[in-house]
Amino acid sequence: MGRRGRSLAAATAAGRRAAEWIRSLPQAPAPGPVGTWLIRDLPETIETATASLDPQDCDRMEPDGVMVDGTGGIDEETRSTLAAVPCAVQDALWLTPDQQIRLVAVASLVMGAARLLAEDPGTAITTGELSRMWALLDRAIA
């Protein structure tokens, strides 16, 4: 397995760790949409995002000269879910502020990793920038 393969495998593993941490958070005292979303949908989204990262989905110029922004492999629905985390955690009053900010950090790091891959996949992988994102993610869930 080459550097790229190892890097993507590390991303998938980091996503699994983050999802496990999210699932281990206290559940809402009463059933509700935010509680269900945080415990079920968000961990699945994190796992999907980190397993979907794709260095080939990078910024590029079309033959007609139009610049196309890459997504790093994360589709619009996944990006939308991750972008909603800062707003959703404000309604998760059963979580501590520390847990809330750590959730925001996890979502931000996953989105940031995709952006790194979209902007300059070669550099993100070969210089260890992507690996540092996972180290930060591990720190956020520790």
Side-chain angles (χ1 to χ4, degrees):
M1 180 182 302
R3 181 176 273 182
R4 177 181 166 197
R6 286 190 305 274
S7 184
L8 294 175
T12 300
R16 274 194 232 111
R17 290 190 302 273
E20 288 174 22
W21 173 76
I22 294 168
R23 290 182 183 109
S24 75
L25 291 171
Q27 293 192 13
V34 172
T36 300
W37 183 81
L38 282 172
I39 297 301
R40 187 186 66 221
D41 298 339
L42 182 59
E44 289 175 10
T45 298
I46 298 287
E47 286 179 308
T48 297
T50 56
S52 300
L53 291 175
D54 182 0
Q56 293 183 9
D57 188 358
C58 58
D59 299 345
R60 64 193 178 283
M61 187 169 297
E62 293 292 318
D64 60 0
V66 174
M67 191 65 182
V68 177
D69 289 334
T71 66
I74 296 182
D75 64 35
E76 182 59 38
E77 181 180 349
T78 301
R79 281 195 315 274
S80 178
T81 300
L82 294 172
V85 172
C87 296
V89 297
Q90 294 180 37
D91 293 331
L93 300 176
W94 64 93
L95 297 176
T96 67
D98 180 66
Q99 291 166 329
Q100 291 173 332
I101 196 64
R102 290 164 66 192
L103 281 167
V104 172
V106 167
S108 177
L109 288 163
V110 171
M111 287 180 63
R115 193 69 235 143
L116 275 174
L117 284 175
E119 289 177 2
D120 190 356
T123 301
I125 292 170
T126 60
T127 64
E129 289 177 6
L130 200 56
S131 296
R132 285 191 294 280
M133 295 294 270
W134 308 136
L136 289 170
L137 186 139
D138 284 337
R139 179 70 178 129
I141 65 174

